[in-house]
C-alpha cells in the first residue's frame, strides 16, 4: 500500500495537552469565535470531519438544540472517547473512517466543519468537490487550521534542541488552507460567498516548563525524535528548558489561525 504523503495519527494525550494549553494560555478562543460568527439554527444538521475526541461537539449541541450531529475521525482511540462522552445524546453519532474515503448516501448538511483536520487530505480538489455535494442549498462550510506563519518559533526551538528542521510536508500543511483550499472554493463560488480570515494571536506561558510541555506535545517534536537513531530523552528535555530561556522572550509564542468559510 502506498504511503500517504500527509498521513498522521494523533496521540490522545498530546492532543489533550495542546487543547488544555490553548485554553489556559491563548488570547484567542476558537469556541467563542465559532459561537459568535457561525450562525447555527435550531435543528440544523452538522457534520464535523476530523472531530477527534469531540472537542467541538458539545458546542454544536448547545447551538443547534437537538439537530443531528455527526462526527467523523479515523482514530479508534479518539472516536471511542467521543462516543463515551456523548453516549446519552441520541442526536449525536460518530463514524470511524478516513475522511478521504467517507461516503454519505443521501444526507445533506447545513454546516460542515473541518477543524484542524482538512490539511491532512491526500487530494484537496476531490475532497472539496465531495463535501460540496453534502452541503444543503444554503449550507455553510467552515475550515479552520494553522496559518502560514503559525508558531515558527517552535521550528527554531526544535532545531536548537534536536538539530532537525521540519520536513517540507510539515511546513506546507501550514499553508494549504491559504494556497490550496481558498483558491479551490473561489474557483466554484463568487468572492462574496468565500472568505479567508487570518487571525494573529499568541500563547503567553507562565513558566518555561509549561511552554516546553506544549512543545513536547507537537507533531514536530515527535517526528524529530523518530529521525534520531539514538537519543537521551532526559538530556533533550533539559536542553529544551535551556533553549526556551535563551530563545523565546517573555515566554510568548506567536500563533496564526486560518479560517476559511463558504456560505452557499
Amino acid at each position: 500500500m502506498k504511503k500517504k504523503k500527509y498521513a498522521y495519527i494523533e496521540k490522545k494525550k498530546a492532543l489533550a495537552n495542546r487543547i488544555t494549553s490553548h485554553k489556559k494560555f491563548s488570547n484567542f478562543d476558537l469556541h467563542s469565535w465559532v459561537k459568535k460568527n457561525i450562525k447555527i439554527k435550531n435543528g440544523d444538521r452538522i457534520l464535523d470531519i476530523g472531530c477527534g475526541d469531540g472537542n467541538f461537539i458539545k458546542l454544536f449541541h448547545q447551538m443547534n438544540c437537538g439537530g443531528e450531529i455527526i462526527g467523523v475521525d479515523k482514530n479508534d482511540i479518539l472516536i471511542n472517547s467521543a462516543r463515551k462522552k456523548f453516549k446519552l445524546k441520541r442526536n449525536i453519532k460518530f463514524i470511524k473512517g478516513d475522511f478521504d474515503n467517507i461516503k454519505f448516501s443521501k444526507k445533506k448538511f447545513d454546516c460542515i466543519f473541518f477543524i484542524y483536520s482538512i490539511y491532512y487530505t491526500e487530494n484537496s480538489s476531490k475532497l472539496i468537490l465531495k463535501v460540496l455535494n453534502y452541503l444543503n442549498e444554503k449550507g455553510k462550510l467552515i475550515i479552520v487550521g494553522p496559518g502560514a506563519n503559525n508558531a515558527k518559533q517552535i521550528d527554531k526551538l526544535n532545531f536548537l534542541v534536536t538539530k532537525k528542521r521540519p520536513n517540507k510536508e510539515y511546513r506546507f500543511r501550514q499553508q494549504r488552507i491559504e494556497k490550496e483550499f481558498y483558491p479551490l472554493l473561489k474557483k466554484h463560488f463568487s468572492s462574496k460567498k468565500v472568505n479567508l480570515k487570518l487571525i494573529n494571536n499568541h500563547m503567553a506561558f507562565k513558566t518555561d516548563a509549561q511552554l516546553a510541555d506544549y512543545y513536547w506535545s507537537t507533531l514536530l517534536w515527535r517526528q524529530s525524535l523518530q529521525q534520531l537513531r539514538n537519543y537521551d530523552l532526559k538530556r533533550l528535555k533539559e536542553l529544551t528548558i535551556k533553549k526556551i530561556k535563551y530563545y523565546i522572550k517573555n515566554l510568548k509564542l506567536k500563533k496564526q489561525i486560518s479560517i476559511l468559510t463558504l456560505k452557499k
Side-chain angles (χ1 to χ4, degrees), residues 123-134 184 188:
N123 191 322
S124 53
S125 180
K126 182 179 178 181
L127 179 60
I128 284 293
L129 289 174
K130 178 167 65 174
V131 166
L132 290 176
N133 286 328
Y134 297 148
L184 271 172
H188 296 283

Side-chain angles (χ1 to χ4, degrees), residues 52-78:
D53 64 354
N55 183 29
F56 279 83
I57 297 295
K58 182 179 180 180
L59 174 63
F60 299 151
H61 180 63
Q62 292 171 346
M63 293 175 72
N64 85 338
C65 297
E68 183 180 21
I69 301 171
I70 297 178
V72 178
D73 204 283
K74 67 178 181 180
N75 188 306
D76 282 309
I77 295 174
L78 295 179

Side-chain angles (χ1 to χ4, degrees), residues 36-53:
K36 180 180 179 180
N37 293 278
I38 305 300
K39 292 182 179 179
I40 296 177
K41 303 186 300 295
N42 290 350
D44 274 357
R45 178 178 281 163
I46 298 172
L47 177 61
D48 185 2
I49 303 181
C51 66
D53 64 354

Side-chain angles (χ1 to χ4, degrees), residues 10 12 15-23 29-32 34 48-63 69 71-73 78-79 81-83 85-86 92 94 113 115-116 144:
E10 183 64 271
K12 183 180 179 181
L15 175 63
N17 187 63
R18 294 199 308 275
I19 290 172
T20 300
S21 294
H22 277 94
K23 287 180 179 178
D29 180 17
L30 183 57
H31 285 74
S32 297
V34 169
D48 185 2
I49 303 181
C51 66
D53 64 354
N55 183 29
F56 279 83
I57 297 295
K58 182 179 180 180
L59 174 63
F60 299 151
H61 180 63
Q62 292 171 346
M63 293 175 72
I69 301 171
V72 178
D73 204 283
L78 295 179
I79 208 76
S81 177
R83 284 170 175 153
K85 287 181 184 179
F86 300 97
I92 300 176
F94 293 96
F113 288 86
I115 301 177
Y116 287 94
V144 180

